């Protein structure tokens, strides 16, 4: 059989024939030299597969005899294979070697046996009670439970108070009971599917929902456990769990990384294959995205659904992706629970010693099919013939340690069966999670007008903030272009020039920070801004030292963070979504380089941002800033896919807005932070409009009370024709109207597309009762943009009045690649908008 633990079965050949590989010269070397070979290559000869199918490889460098070699082989080629010689940092390498070579502590064998019995019996009770129901049994890898026990014990000794646990389906139910501390009745209630009416059209399956609980260590310490709600999409939870951990650590301050430990449990096929995980792994050492190192556990059953490791991975081990980082990887045979416990302890100690990540690759098997409905003998008949004969781990372990468990299988069965009976009589679905206290002042659910608050800021206050935003320390060598920009911003604040988007945003951030609202912005090149519009960090031209005006507002202010992120969409957006989940008081923003690239994070948008509340009742105030607009820059620099967000919108799950001027953007950002309603906000942000005079706003508009969901036309109050639009095209229509000297066409901007502002729009439309026609105008092709969403609503509201739409022809890609073609198309749109409509 082939596989990840052994790619090619050369090992047998070498062992059988003995002489194929020359003994290594190191056999004659010093003890240290011999040990070094085993430190480097020993993991390749470790005995990792409990079923022995995936055989170790004979490594030429290790073919030697002698006392030192025997000793090194016992340490490095037994049930544990430690990979750490790829780590560049010598201190870390030495640390791992020392720990591996030190005598092992006596594990608490009675405890381990008890845990194995409990987790195996739980699975058996479910199997017999709910035959044919998916549960994704942990059998074959039940030593995950004592592994987690040891990890949590060790972490608690080092100061852990909370653990963020991200994991997929495999063994999740067992973890909920044995680690998170949920009652067995809670879990059985999900199998009974009690109170189904409470989740009509919503909720999630039992092996995806999140759970909160408390773990009590054997030493009597308590750790809060947050099992993060997880979609089916494998590994998508990784950045979310890390973002949540980072937020919790930030809240706790200097000791945050010590007190909050992220643990991510991965499947072997998913670890090797999923891109979002590769993106997330890269965050480890990046400023703003670290979480003090996570403990990663690969629950490695050497199969992915029906596919073998060879079919899923090019690498030798599923864990090889991690080798690109300075982190140790401990492979361990899951059927040696003593070794598993030891590795868990070493791994967590390593995390605490170096504030860095570490991987445990727990190698076992899967007793049943992928879910219990699948028959694995169809695809892996030989391995499953073996598995059918293979006793459960608790039996093997009891025999090995020569004692019985303190608790009998019958007693545990009885306990679970009682819980099962109790669950069957429940009338209400037990709530498995609890929101932390910092959520008490915020809420999700449907929109209510009473959420609204005034977002205007008095003129003097704005000027004060602007003063701080446009100054820098004495002797700071400012770039001449940035200097000019700051001077222009000062002039904007003083009322000499209208305020542009860049300044509007800085004023929104500055005012919020001074009101105690933390602000976190992350995205590619977000510090300067893709369009050279932000300049959140000033760079000294002599020293490249950074100065961040928003972090230096003077007096009491909240924390300001702006980061240039890794070049990742899914990973970073997931991280920020996670961060927002544990920092509801903060304004948390993810910015796309161009909105077009946001679809790289489609899983995060669909599974978390749009559906998180519906599935898990969990709220987020995450803001997505997505540059959008047709400017002749081709198919992939034009559209943030307005249509997709509107398709996802239902039951007030998200907000979708396109502010058309700087003051509106200012009020929108402040509204998001100051209302107690926590809903993801999708903002289509401008590109060329960043500097367009028509989109700039007088400073007085920043003292106006609020964001307006619809902008009425102040110029044309009596109209023959009413053009309705959103965003940049509205300014082009206004310019065209001027060019035509048309005084009979009114132009209305819909600034909030979802929740659709029907009441506000109705009020504005009623001013134009005499209009002959109403026209929806958009830049996007007919099958894209807001058209499909807006037209049926307008039709209903206009109640039989003439309504048409102007748009590009339906298209497979969002925009043309030719700048000239773009211009022609744009002109045609304007002509059609002002057409006779006959
Ligand atoms: C992104 C994604 N693709 C495909 C699937 C379907 N799927 C569910 S489990 C699974 C196999 C996972 O194998 P592995 O990661 O080894 O975990 P295991 O189930 O063996 O524990 C697949 C392909 C999925 N859930 N998510």
């Amino acid at each position: 059989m082939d596989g990840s633990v052994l790619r090619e079965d050369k090992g047998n050949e070498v062992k059988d024939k003995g002489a194929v590989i020359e003994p290594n010269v190191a056999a004659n070397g010093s003890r240290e030299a011999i040990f070094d070979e085993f430190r480097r290559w020993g993991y390749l000869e470790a005995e990792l597969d409990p079923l022995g199918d995936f055989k170790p490889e004979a490594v030429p460098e290790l073919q030697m005899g002698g006392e030192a070699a025997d000793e090194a082989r016992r340490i490095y080629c037994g049930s544990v294979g430690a990979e750490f010689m790829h780590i560049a940092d010598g201190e870390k390498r030495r640390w791992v070697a020392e720990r591996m070579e030190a005598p092992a502590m006596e594990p608490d064998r009675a405890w381990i046996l008890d845990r194995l019995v409990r987790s195996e019996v739980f699975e058996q009770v479910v199997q017999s009670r709910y035959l044919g129901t998916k549960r994704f049994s942990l059998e074959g890898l039940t030593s995950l439970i004592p592994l987690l026990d040891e990890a949590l014990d060790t972490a608690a000794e080092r100061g852990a108070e909370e653990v963020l646990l991200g994991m997929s389906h495999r063994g999740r139910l067992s973890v909920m009971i044995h680690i998170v501390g949920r009652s067995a009745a809670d879990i059985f209630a999900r199998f009974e599917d009690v109170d189904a009416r409470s989740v009509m059209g919503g909720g999630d399956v039992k092996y995806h929902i999140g759970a909160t609980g408390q773990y009590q260590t054997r030493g009597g310490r308590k750790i809060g456990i947050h099992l993060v709600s997880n979609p089916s999409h494998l590994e998508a939870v990784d950045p979310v769990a890390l973002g949540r951990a980072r937020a919790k650590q930030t809240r706790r301050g200097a000791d945050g990384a010590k007190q909050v430990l992220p643990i991510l449990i991965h499947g072997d096929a998913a670890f090797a294959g999923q891109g979002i995980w590769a993106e997330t792994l890269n965050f480890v050492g990046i400023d703003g995205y670290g979480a003090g190192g996570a403990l990663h556990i690969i629950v490695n059953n050497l199969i992915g659904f029906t596919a073998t490791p060879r079919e899923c991975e090019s690498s030798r081990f599923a864990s090889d992706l991690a080798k690109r980082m300075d982190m140790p990887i401990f492979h361990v045979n899951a059927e040696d629970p003593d070794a598993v416990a030891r590795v868990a302890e070493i791994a967590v100690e390593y995390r605490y010693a170096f504030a860095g990540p570490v991987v445990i690759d727990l190698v076992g098997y899967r007793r049943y099919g992928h879910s219990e409905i699948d028959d694995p003998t169809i695809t892996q008949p030989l391995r499953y013939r073996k598995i059918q004969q293979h006793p459960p781990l608790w039996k093997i372990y009891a025999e090995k340690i020569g004692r019985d468990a303190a608790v009998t299988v019958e007693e545990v069965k009885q306990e679970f069966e009682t819980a099962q009976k109790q669950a069957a009589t429940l009338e209400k679905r037990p709530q498995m999670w609890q929101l932390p206290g910092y959520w008490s002042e915020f809420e999700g659910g449907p929109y209510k007008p009473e959420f609204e608050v005034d977002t205007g800021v008095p003129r003097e206050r704005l000027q004060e903030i602007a003063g701080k935003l446009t100054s820098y320390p004495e002797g700071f060598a400012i770039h001449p272009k940035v200097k000019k920009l700051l001077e222009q911003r000062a002039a904007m604040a003083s009322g000499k020039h209208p305020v542009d988007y860049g300044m509007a945003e800085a004023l929104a951030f500055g005012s919020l920070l001074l009101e105690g609202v933390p602000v976190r912005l992350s995205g590619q090149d977000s510090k300067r801004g893709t369009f050279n519009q932000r300049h959140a960090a000033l760079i000294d031209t002599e020293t490249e030292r950074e100065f961040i005006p928003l972090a230096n507002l003077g007096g009491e202010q909240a924390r300001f963070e702006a980061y240039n992120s890794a070049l990742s969409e899914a990973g970073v957006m997931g991280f920020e979504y996670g961060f927002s989940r544990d920092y509801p008081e903060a304004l948390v923003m993810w910015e796309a380089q161009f909105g077009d690239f946001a679809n790289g994070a489609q899983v995060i948008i669909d599974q978390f941002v749009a559906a998180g509340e519906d599935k898990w009742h969990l709220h987020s105030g995450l803001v997505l800033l997505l540059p959008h607009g047709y400017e002749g820059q081709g198919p992939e620099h034009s559209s943030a896919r307005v249509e997709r967000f509107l398709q996802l919108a239902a039951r007030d799950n998200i907000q979708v807005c396109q502010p058309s001027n700087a003051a509106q953007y200012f009020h929108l950002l402040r509204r998001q932070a100051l209302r107690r309603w926590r809903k993801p906000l999708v903002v289509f942000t401008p590109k060329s409009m960043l500097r367009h005079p028509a989109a700039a706003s007088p400073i007085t508009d920043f003292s106006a009370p609020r964001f307006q969901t619809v902008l009425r036309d102040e110029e044309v109050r009596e109209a023959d024709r009413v053009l309705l639009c959103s965003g940049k095209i509205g300014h082009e229509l206004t310019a065209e109207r001027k060019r035509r000297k048309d005084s009979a066409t009114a132009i209305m901007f819909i600034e909030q597309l979802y929740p659709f502002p029907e009441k506000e729009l109705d009020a504005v439309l009623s001013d134009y009762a005499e209009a002959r026609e109403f026209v929806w105008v958009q830049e996007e092709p007919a099958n894209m943009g807001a058209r499909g969403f807006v037209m049926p609503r307008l039709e209903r509201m206009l109640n039989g009045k003439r309504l048409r739409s102007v748009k590009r022809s339906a298209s497979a890609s969002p925009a043309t690649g030719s700048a000239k073609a773009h211009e022609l198309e744009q002109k045609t749109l304007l002509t059609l908008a002002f057409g006779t409509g006959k």
Side-chain angles (χ1 to χ4, degrees):
M1 182 171 290
D2 59 7
S4 64
V5 172
L6 180 68
R7 268 285 114 243
E8 294 164 62
D9 258 350
K10 280 190 204 137
N12 287 340
E13 199 189 324
V14 171
K15 276 183 182 155
D16 296 347
K17 295 179 190 162
V20 172
I21 294 170
E22 289 294 313
N24 186 17
V25 280
N28 307 318
S30 68
R31 180 187 158 84
E32 193 57 19
I34 291 168
F35 261 76
D36 253 359
E37 292 292 357
F38 279 90
R39 287 169 192 146
R40 190 174 304 279
W41 304 117
Y43 70 94
L44 293 172
E45 289 201 9
E47 301 276 350
L48 301 176
D49 177 11
L51 301 180
D53 287 332
F54 295 83
K55 295 190 185 73
E57 182 169 0
V59 180
E61 285 82 349
L62 304 184
Q63 306 314 306
M64 51 184 152
E67 202 183 310
D70 289 349
E71 195 189 331
R73 181 168 287 111
R74 188 183 51 74
I75 293 169
Y76 286 107
C77 306
S79 299
V80 179
E83 276 188 86
F84 59 102
M85 295 298 274
H86 61 281
I87 298 177
D89 182 341
E91 197 190 335
K92 290 180 181 166
R93 283 200 309 273
R94 274 189 297 280
W95 189 98
V96 175
E98 259 167 42
R99 290 306 316 266
M100 285 293 293
E101 290 160 30
M105 295 277 285
E106 270 289 286
D108 186 346
R109 295 199 170 99
W111 169 268
I112 292 176
L113 181 57
D114 182 82
R115 301 292 273 171
L116 292 176
V117 169
R118 284 177 190 280
S119 43
E120 298 259 356
V121 172
F122 165 70
E123 300 286 1
Q124 283 164 18
V125 170
V126 181
Q127 175 76 0
S128 60
R129 283 278 153 188
Y130 305 100
L131 194 68
T133 310
K134 287 190 199 178
R135 72 189 146 95
F136 299 106
S137 162
L138 188 59
E139 287 154 282
L141 279 160
T142 39
S143 51
L144 173 68
I145 302 299
L147 188 165
L148 287 169
D149 287 331
E150 198 60 46
L152 293 171
D153 264 29
T154 311
E157 293 292 324
R158 275 151 192 74
E161 292 173 9
E162 275 184 278
V163 160
L164 262 297
L165 187 57
M167 73 181 295
S168 62
H169 51 286
R170 181 75 49 211
R172 191 172 170 106
L173 299 176
S174 189
V175 166
M176 279 185 183
I177 294 181
H178 298 109
I179 301 297
V180 185
R182 301 309 310 182
S183 75
D186 280 1
I187 308 299
F188 286 121
R190 297 283 164 160
F191 281 97
E192 295 292 331
D193 213 354
V194 297
D195 191 18
R197 280 183 183 281
S198 68
V199 285
M200 297 268 273
D204 203 349
V205 291
K206 49 187 154 310
Y207 38 84
H208 287 167
I209 48 173
T212 351
Q214 206 171 52
Y215 181 88
Q216 174 124 18
T217 70
R218 280 162 279 170
R221 293 179 201 266
K222 291 190 170 84
I223 299 188
I225 311 270
H226 308 269
L227 176 63
V228 183
S229 302
N230 176 70
S232 248
H233 294 60
L234 295 167
E235 304 294 325
V237 76
D238 301 343
V240 176
L242 292 180
R244 289 196 59 189
R246 169 86 186 187
K248 281 181 179 288
Q249 292 173 354
T250 307
R251 306 186 74 88
R252 284 168 174 268
D255 280 339
K258 201 166 97 182
Q259 294 166 347
V260 181
L261 171 69
I263 301 182
L264 296 183
I265 302 179
H266 314 257
D268 48 314
F271 190 96
Q274 285 294 305
I276 192 167
W277 167 231
E279 288 183 20
T280 306
L281 184 61
N282 182 41
F283 298 171
V284 169
I286 300 179
D287 195 22
Y289 306 88
L295 169 63
H296 297 279
I297 303 164
I298 303 176
V299 173
N300 189 348
N301 48 26
L302 297 169
I303 196 160
F305 210 139
T306 66
T308 63
R310 169 154 291 183
E311 291 168 305
C312 292
E313 303 144 24
S314 292
S315 52
R316 186 178 304 271
F317 289 96
S319 58
D320 278 4
L321 178 70
K323 263 212 282 206
R324 81 193 227 245
M325 299 291 171
D326 253 13
M327 62 170 93
I329 299 160
F330 297 98
H331 308 279
V332 58
N333 186 322
E335 286 211 339
D336 185 347
D338 293 359
V340 170
R342 176 155 177 260
V343 156
E345 186 188 18
I346 297 178
V348 173
E349 282 179 358
Y350 174 91
R351 187 269 180 185
Y352 276 89
F354 297 103
V358 49
V359 176
I360 298 176
D361 178 22
L362 182 69
V363 185
Y365 64 95
R366 187 186 71 192
R367 181 161 290 284
Y368 302 96
H370 171 62
S371 77
E372 291 59 36
I373 303 165
D374 291 300
D375 180 355
T377 63
I378 296 172
T379 48
Q380 277 80 22
L382 297 184
R383 188 159 167 92
Y384 275 86
R385 208 173 291 159
K386 235 183 208 181
I387 290 172
Q388 275 160 9
Q389 308 302 320
H390 199 76
L393 180 55
W394 72 265
K395 271 196 184 153
I396 297 174
Y397 191 62
E399 204 162 294
K400 183 173 160 194
I401 65 175
R403 62 188 292 176
D404 288 332
V407 63
T408 67
V409 169
E410 263 324 302
E411 283 163 353
V412 181
K413 227 180 221 165
Q414 207 60 65
E415 266 177 47
F416 284 129
E417 274 169 7
T418 309
Q420 186 273 332
K421 285 197 189 93
Q422 192 191 334
T425 63
L426 288 177
E427 282 181 8
K428 274 196 98 55
R429 217 158 243 260
Q431 168 132 342
M432 307 272 279
W433 68 91
Q434 205 182 349
L435 283 178
Y438 41 78
W439 270 98
S440 60
E441 290 180 14
F442 303 96
E443 58 184 293
Y447 171 76
K448 296 179 204 147
E450 60 259 34
F451 290 142
E452 295 303 339
V453 291
D454 282 352
T455 51
V457 175
R459 177 85 183 261
E460 317 76 65
R461 177 76 157 172
L462 290 167
Q463 227 145 346
E464 246 171 68
I465 299 167
K468 297 286 183 187
L469 292 178
T470 53
S471 49
Y472 38 88
E474 276 281 314
F476 190 88
I478 189 101
H479 192 286
K481 287 184 182 162
V482 178
K483 183 165 187 271
K484 195 164 157 224
L485 177 117
L486 296 183
E487 285 163 5
Q488 283 166 352
R489 287 187 172 177
M492 291 173 193
S494 68
K496 277 196 204 121
H497 299 301
V499 180
D500 68 8
Y501 270 91
M503 182 58 169
E505 184 187 78
L507 287 171
F509 293 170
S511 56
L512 287 170
L513 290 165
L514 290 171
E515 287 163 49
V517 176
V519 173
R520 178 181 163 103
L521 168 68
S522 127
Q524 290 147 35
D525 311 289
S526 284
K527 281 201 282 190
R528 189 205 67 170
T530 296
F531 310 101
N532 199 24
Q533 83 283 15
R534 181 168 292 124
H535 299 278
L538 309 179
I539 312 291
D540 187 303
T541 54
E542 298 300 319
T543 61
E544 289 197 357
R545 194 164 52 95
E546 270 187 359
F547 176 72
I548 299 179
L550 281 162
N552 289 280
L553 294 171
E556 288 239 329
Q557 73 158 98
R559 184 185 169 94
F560 176 73
E561 297 176 272
Y563 298 108
N564 288 339
S565 77
L567 212 172
S568 136
E569 281 76 28
V572 180
M573 192 196 288
F575 189 94
E576 298 309 331
Y577 169 82
F579 196 97
S580 75
R581 284 271 318 281
D582 281 275
Y583 230 127
E585 325 76 306
L587 179 66
V588 183
M589 292 160 287
W590 176 79
E591 183 175 56
Q593 182 114 75
F594 283 81
D596 310 65
F597 301 115
N599 63 5
Q602 204 63 48
V603 172
I604 301 298
I605 295 169
D606 292 345
Q607 268 55 49
F608 291 93
V609 176
E613 184 174 345
D614 185 79
K615 292 190 293 184
W616 308 314
H617 304 280
L618 297 171
H619 315 305
S620 157
L622 179 67
V623 180
L624 304 183
L625 299 176
L626 311 179
H628 173 80
Y630 281 57
E631 307 190 335
Q633 293 199 41
E636 277 90 41
H637 287 76
S638 296
S639 177
R641 300 290 195 163
V642 176
E643 64 280 4
R644 296 212 176 129
F645 289 98
L646 292 174
Q647 191 205 29
L648 289 171
R651 295 194 186 190
D652 291 356
N653 63 334
I654 52 174
Q655 310 164 78
V656 182
C657 295
Q658 183 157 224
S660 64
N661 66 52
Q664 279 281 86
Y665 182 43
F666 168 89
H667 288 293
L668 178 62
L669 291 175
R670 285 181 50 79
R671 181 183 89 164
Q672 180 70 357
L674 296 178
R675 287 195 305 206
R676 67 173 194 277
W677 200 40
R678 282 295 170 266
K679 281 287 154 170
L681 166 65
V682 181
V683 189
F684 301 110
T685 58
K687 294 177 286 188
S688 64
M689 283 284 120
L690 286 165
R691 294 179 181 81
H692 198 287
S697 308
I699 188 74
T700 45
D701 283 4
F702 292 72
S703 310
R706 286 171 190 186
F707 175 75
Q708 295 173 56
T709 52
V710 179
L711 288 187
R712 59 171 70 236
D713 193 329
E714 301 294 347
E715 253 177 70
V716 177
R717 304 309 298 254
E718 277 176 33
D720 228 14
R721 174 188 297 123
V722 177
L723 305 181
L724 294 129
C725 59
S726 186
K728 165 180 151 283
I729 189 74
H731 294 300
E732 291 177 23
L733 290 168
T734 310
E736 177 69 9
R737 177 174 71 181
K738 195 168 170 199
R739 201 183 63 74
R740 290 172 176 249
K741 301 194 175 61
D742 178 337
S743 56
T745 300
I747 300 170
M748 252 176 240
F749 290 79
I750 301 184
E751 306 275 294
Q752 176 170 299
L753 290 159
Y754 192 81
F756 193 64
E758 188 157 335
K759 217 172 94 212
E760 292 82 351
L761 188 60
D762 208 33
V764 179
L765 286 176
S766 64
D767 289 353
Y768 298 99
E770 306 305 320
R772 192 171 43 80
E773 68 162 359
F774 295 80
V775 190
W776 170 255
V777 189
Q778 68 174 35
E779 300 183 293
E780 299 87 348
N783 54 328
M784 300 175 194
R787 179 172 171 269
F789 177 85
V790 170
M791 286 296 276
R793 288 169 171 78
L794 289 179
E795 244 162 56
R796 187 163 36 80
M797 292 173 70
L798 290 168
N799 201 13
K801 287 186 185 151
R802 184 181 157 76
L803 172 69
R804 65 187 173 98
S805 67
V806 172
K807 65 275 171 189
R808 282 180 163 78
S809 306
S811 172
S813 99
T816 170
S818 149
K820 276 198 184 148
H822 162 78
E823 264 173 48
L824 290 172
E825 289 171 9
Q826 207 74 359
K827 237 184 206 160
T828 311
L829 283 183
L830 299 180
T831 308
L832 288 173
F834 286 91
T836 59
K838 281 182 187 138

